[in-house]
Amino acid sequence: MNKATRTRSPGNSKAVIFFGALVLCIIVATISILQEKIYRGVSCDRDGGVDSSSSFSSKATQKARDGNAEQQEYIPASTEEYIMNHFEELGYNNTFENSKGCPIWETPEASTQENYDNLQAFLKDIYEYSNTMQKELDVDEPIPDFLKTMRREGHSINQTELCKAARPHPEGLQALFPSHQLSQTPSGYVEPLLTPMRHPEFCQEGGAYNAFRVDYIIHDFERMCLNLKPHSRAIFVDMGASLEFHVSQGVPPPIMSLLNSFEKNGFHFDHIYALESTKADPNDVYKKLLPEKFFPSYHWINTGVSSDPKDRLNPLRSIISKFEEDDLIIVKLDIDTSQIEVPLAKQLLEDDTINKLVDHFYFEHHVQLYEMKHAWDKSWVGSVQESFELMNGLRNKGVAAHFWV
């Protein structure tokens, strides 16, 4: 080997090493990016929208990636955002007189033409969503129990394919809402927070019948399924669990409609903790009121609840705190006693050790809303604004909060 060759060899070796290292870094970075996209499940539908099966990073996923990661940012629909930014103009900040919640649905002058048009478009979407979900309920065979399947198959299961069974539309839940009036939480898409804190048809003439409809509440069952782990447990905590609610009027209790919807869409609860202060004969509960299919998981606790954080009858302390972030935890609060339920709701908002565990929260908040005066006037406390700030605050904490009936 000549001198010239010898003197060039070190330089060539360094160049080769540098080039090789550079290529390796590019490959590693590319793989990391691809893995991150797969891990977060980010994809787009053919219309350019984000697929509901891939729009959100679950609490469990965030925890796995970064133990200190914050909750994903809550993204409200524009109609909800309008209310949050215009409490005073809408009269929702009143504590000395009743705020009217229906005018925004009745006339553009109550807000803006754009907001009114968005609300009317959303109302049409609610019809489509309700009809689609009702067809699912009418099907004889429900979606197989997601958790049972995952526990049986373990980590070998293709969870993305499994969870597609909960899609109400081939292109995902968002395809049913061309109005784009869906808010986004870690638990998936939800309905925007709107007055009259009821189904919008409650505002129509003769709409009193619609006061107890829960089919306007939107659940992204596919996303909820994707958030599950094989070791997850499905828990429902019902505070105010009367099974005789409106039965005399020929209307099924709203809680039964909710539980049936979860079951039909692949969610069978491991435990349903039903707390009710009104005394009831267990024979009536189990022989007449409760469907037999819920017997294996139903715990009838015939006592009231406490808002004292140290009291064992505070379910946030004695029940919910005993579970884990990977569990699916659903909470309903409707005991018609504001001095207890409002402090409980605020505890959920303020205690991050509890709200990080709860996925969905249903709350009938009795505030000074004109349309509900006939039912709430003896128990209401606070303004519509305060209710929206509470529920929006919970959504910003990662809890999919819904107005209950």
Side-chain angles (χ1 to χ4, degrees), residues 5 13-14 19 26 57 92-93 104 136 141-143 149 175 195 205 213 274 278 291 311 325 327 354 356 376 385:
T5 302
S13 298
K14 290 180 179 178
F19 181 76
I26 293 173
S57 177
Y92 293 171
N93 61 335
I104 61 171
E136 295 290 336
E141 292 295 325
I143 296 172
T149 303
T195 52
E205 185 176 354
R213 289 174 59 182
T278 302
D311 195 318
E325 287 187 65
D327 296 325
I354 299 297
K356 71 178 181 179
W376 292 353
Q385 175 177 343

Side-chain angles (χ1 to χ4, degrees), residues 138-178:
D138 292 339
V139 173
D140 291 335
E141 292 295 325
I143 296 172
D145 187 340
F146 285 132
L147 274 174
K148 186 176 181 179
T149 303
M150 293 173 65
R151 289 163 183 165
R152 182 179 65 247
E153 302 295 333
H155 292 285
S156 63
I157 196 168
N158 186 330
Q159 190 167 343
T160 300
E161 290 301 315
L162 173 70
C163 296
K164 283 183 179 179
R167 284 189 173 188
H169 186 282
E171 295 180 26
L173 173 63
Q174 79 284 1
L176 295 175
F177 290 86

